Amino acid sequence: MAAHASKDPLHGITLEMQVNALVARFGWLALSKRININCFKNEPSVKSSLKFLRRTPWARAEVEALYLESLEDIVPEKADEPTFNPWANSRIKKS
């Protein structure tokens, strides 16, 4: 039986995880400049932000949009070559 793969990019990501990731990436000050919400400006905390965002759909939508944008900005590393090649200094000569 195959597992169902969701097409929703936020599947399995809680609102708390989104807020924590945004705060870790931008900080409260930059976050309040990107999204003009008082819970990010005046005595910000994750708990108060979650309380507000769960009651206010437009604010939650803005946080989710910024979270998705921040995921797109992260460029994955190349998986073609490992950063450390244990065989680079091998005595075996390549022909």
Side-chain angles (χ1 to χ4, degrees):
M1 187 180 266
H4 175 70
S6 176
K7 293 182 181 181
D8 181 16
L10 295 175
H11 180 73
I13 311 258
T14 64
L15 185 59
E16 183 176 5
M17 292 166 71
Q18 293 173 36
V19 171
N20 284 331
L22 290 173
V23 170
R25 179 158 185 177
F26 300 113
W28 288 111
L29 184 62
L31 191 57
S32 69
K33 290 180 181 178
R34 290 176 183 267
I35 303 175
N36 190 12
I37 300 175
N38 282 337
C39 67
F40 293 160
K41 293 179 181 180
N42 302 328
E43 298 180 22
S45 72
V46 173
K47 185 178 178 181
S48 67
S49 299
L50 291 175
K51 188 175 182 180
F52 176 76
L53 293 171
R54 287 181 179 133
R55 287 194 235 157
T56 316
W58 64 266
R60 182 178 183 144
E62 286 194 28
V63 168
E64 290 174 349
L66 181 60
Y67 177 75
L68 290 174
E69 277 181 32
S70 70
L71 291 180
E72 292 172 1
D73 292 345
I74 299 172
V75 178
E77 292 183 22
K78 291 183 180 178
D80 297 339
E81 280 188 40
T83 56
F84 172 73
N85 185 356
W87 306 110
N89 295 327
S90 175
R91 294 182 187 187
I92 302 172
K93 295 184 178 181
K94 296 179 184 177
S95 34

